[in-house]
Amino acid sequence: MSFETLGLSPALLRALADSQYTVPTPIQVQAIPLALAGHDLLGGAQTGTGKTAAFGLPLLQRLSKQTPPSGPRKPRALILTPTRELALQVGDSLRAYGKHLRLNVTTIFGGAGMQPQVDNLRRGVDVLVATPGRLIDHLERGSAKLDAIEILVLDEADRMLDMGFLPAIKRILARLPRERQTLLFSATFEPRIKALALEFMRDPQQVQVTASNAVADTVVHRVHPVDATRKRDLLVDILSQRHTEQVIVFGKTKHGCNRLAEQLEKAGLKALAIHGNKSQAQRQKALLQFKTGKARILVATDVAARGLDIPNLPLVINHDLPMVAEDYVHRIGRTGRAGAQGEALSLVSPEEGALLRQIQRLLKTDIAMETLSGYEPSRPLRLDAPMPAQSRGQKGGGRNNGGGARAAAKPAHRAHGKPASRAAHSHAGPKQHRGGGKPAGARRDTRA
Ligand code: AMP
């Protein structure tokens, strides 16, 4: 399969050749012809699968076919993303793909000055890439107009819902012409996303590159049981032993990530923290240092790390397990990309047993447990432990228990290494809490 056979225009083919893309990825093969034909699309694809081009190329081609009205142009395509970094990344990719077309791609997001964005919008825009909150600000000031939108893309829709963006998305949808094409991409398709999608899409075609909630089968997963108070020492030990590998360490809170990065520095391990309390400039700088290999260790919260394009990361460490099992899949999506080997280590305290249980249920497999000498926990790690207080009554396992996500999950994943410990097997049975789902934004306390 080649890009030519997908029906892309010579200008786009030239840009793809410039970017050294020779073969379309599976999501591109499936999505591009359907999107070019004008269908609405529900795309199931994780970060790293090439989904930006899967929606970006047909979008640019369709826009370039029509002559825009004269005078300052109103945006004809809108791409909504959950985070600033992803907005920047998508904007950059679209500019690269559209470099031989005369289309203006503008990116707007929170945490940056309003006025330069207002000026850009006034100069005329064809493709607007935006985070929802900042777009609402512009709509209220009248600096952005959405009445000429022909194509809407919701990128990482599951995450936008998790971040409490549903009210903002509904407000934005109310400003869009009903007659339009809508493309929605999500790594996971739980029932509430489908329900939302069906509210504002027309007879969408569904494309899927891996089963929902699947992780690459080139990733080795391992759990190290350890007391919460010893996690930091264990992390330092692991990072000191594996001193050549680039790694993202995931922590739960902004404050926790800051402290962790400081403590790693004290132990002689150069680490950068990236989370929502950092300024946009700091986040960009940290990311650039990491991407260019100048920093080896990035300590991140979930939201800050979402959607970042970091190729060939060999190792991801969960200093804390995520409160939501699907986030484990997203974190692990940073490693084992494009067939490369990857490794995911989780430092799990006895209090996190229930979170581990949820992850194993989502993955439909046990994860190998390996207690490291000198770090034996003071009590066993039991999977029938109650949910930690922070997630009880919020999540209650509702999403993972909901049936849809689990039913769609595929055992695509190898459980490597030693078989899961007896504790993992013998306590895997009890029922999960059923919290009845989570209100949008319920995880704000852990937002990056
Ligand atoms: P995405 O999932 O859109 O974030 O893309 C992940 C990475 O794959 C990015 O670095 C893209 O530039 C790259 N990429 C996307 N499509 C292709 C392709 N067909 N060939 C080579 N690289 C690609």
Side-chain angles (χ1 to χ4, degrees):
M1 183 62 75
S2 67
F3 281 110
E4 283 81 356
T5 56
L6 297 178
L8 293 170
S9 67
L12 289 173
L13 293 175
R14 259 200 296 150
L16 290 172
D18 297 343
S19 299
Q20 288 169 347
Y21 291 10
T22 46
V23 182
T25 66
I27 189 72
Q28 292 161 5
V29 170
Q30 292 183 50
I32 290 173
L34 289 168
L36 278 177
H39 290 288
D40 279 10
L41 267 187
L42 275 176
Q46 287 170 271
T47 280
T49 54
K51 67 184 161 68
T52 313
F55 65 75
L57 294 169
L59 175 152
L60 292 167
Q61 178 146 327
R62 280 168 64 83
L63 293 190
S64 67
K65 285 261 160 74
Q66 294 146 27
T67 321
S70 55
R73 302 189 306 270
K74 292 192 218 170
R76 288 183 292 146
L78 171 65
I79 302 167
L80 292 176
T81 72
T83 63
R84 305 160 186 181
E85 281 81 6
L86 189 58
L88 278 168
Q89 210 164 276
V90 167
D92 288 346
S93 295
L94 262 72
R95 263 176 233 110
Y97 305 148
K99 66 195 261 204
H100 302 299
L101 302 171
R102 262 181 277 156
L103 293 171
N104 180 293
V105 180
T106 293
T107 310
I108 59 174
F109 46 79
M114 278 299 265
Q115 197 52 44
Q117 297 180 357
V118 171
D119 295 342
N120 280 341
L121 289 164
R122 198 174 291 140
R123 274 194 284 274
V125 174
D126 297 294
V127 181
L128 184 59
V129 186
T131 52
R134 178 54 67 97
L135 177 58
I136 296 270
D137 293 345
H138 281 287
L139 290 173
E140 280 170 358
R141 289 172 59 137
S143 42
K145 297 262 187 298
L146 301 180
D147 55 327
I149 294 293
E150 297 164 24
I151 305 171
L152 167 70
V153 180
L154 292 172
D155 195 10
E156 307 219 336
D158 50 343
R159 179 50 50 120
M160 280 200 275
L161 293 188
D162 257 8
M163 291 170 67
F165 281 135
L166 184 58
I169 289 173
K170 290 202 158 158
R171 281 171 71 185
I172 293 166
L173 285 168
R175 307 266 194 134
L176 297 173
R178 293 177 82 83
E179 196 54 42
R180 59 159 200 268
Q181 181 182 34
T182 305
L183 312 173
L184 182 150
F185 283 80
S186 183
T188 52
F189 271 122
E190 55 186 276
R192 67 191 182 124
I193 293 188
K194 276 223 165 141
L196 171 77
L198 294 175
E199 269 179 37
F200 63 84
M201 295 178 83
R202 285 170 319 181
D203 192 19
Q205 307 277 313
Q206 189 159 354
V207 293
Q208 179 84 45
V209 286
T210 50
S212 303
N213 306 332
V215 295
D217 60 5
T218 49
V219 177
V220 178
H221 302 249
R222 198 167 294 121
V223 161
H224 295 313
V226 59
D227 282 339
T229 51
R230 305 283 333 271
K231 280 188 179 186
R232 214 171 300 129
D233 293 339
L234 177 53
L235 180 68
V236 168
D237 260 8
I238 293 172
L239 291 174
S240 306
Q241 278 166 31
R242 308 181 59 154
H243 52 87
T244 55
E245 286 162 302
Q246 263 209 319
V247 52
I248 293 193
V249 177
F250 282 99
K252 206 160 40 188
T253 62
K254 306 166 195 175
H255 185 57
C257 284
N258 269 346
R259 283 227 323 257
L260 202 52
E262 280 164 22
Q263 280 152 348
L264 291 176
E265 289 273 349
K266 274 193 198 137
L269 297 160
K270 186 167 164 47
L272 298 170
I274 176 166
H275 54 69
N277 269 7
K278 298 269 181 186
S279 71
Q280 188 56 33
Q282 286 171 320
R283 288 162 75 164
Q284 289 299 111
K285 191 171 159 211
L287 191 61
L288 188 69
Q289 283 187 281
F290 190 68
K291 276 185 162 185
T292 52
K294 292 196 181 105
R296 182 171 76 89
I297 305 166
L298 194 64
V299 185
T301 52
D302 280 296
V303 176
R306 172 86 174 191
L308 300 182
D309 176 29
I310 298 161
N312 299 330
L313 199 61
L315 178 62
V316 167
I317 299 181
N318 294 308
H319 179 271
D320 306 299
L321 284 185
M323 300 304 279
V324 182
E326 278 91 350
D327 282 342
Y328 183 87
V329 176
H330 297 308
R331 291 178 177 190
I332 298 322
R334 315 274 131 222
T335 182
R337 286 177 168 210
Q341 286 295 317
E343 196 175 346
L345 302 183
S346 300
L347 315 187
V348 184
S349 68
E351 296 76 33
E352 294 174 302
L355 300 177
L356 179 60
R357 177 182 69 220
Q358 289 200 347
I359 290 164
Q360 296 198 157
R361 286 191 172 189
L362 185 71
L363 298 177
K364 289 197 159 182
T365 186
D366 291 341
I367 299 177
M369 286 206 205
E370 199 180 323
T371 303
L372 296 178
S373 162
Y375 291 98
E376 294 82 0
S378 51
R379 58 192 172 92
L381 170 57
R382 292 168 56 107
L383 298 191
D384 59 352
M387 285 297 286
Q390 200 180 2
S391 63
R392 214 182 296 149
Q394 281 183 357
K395 297 298 303 170
R399 277 212 307 170
N400 304 335
N401 253 351
R406 275 212 300 144
K410 167 182 114 177
H413 147 97
R414 295 205 309 262
H416 293 261
K418 292 199 294 193
S421 74
R422 287 191 52 202
H425 289 298
S426 55
H427 299 294
K431 288 223 173 348
Q432 289 184 324
H433 294 254
R434 284 180 187 266
K438 167 179 80 67
R443 281 197 310 138
R444 276 185 186 281
D445 52 342
T446 58
R447 274 181 71 164

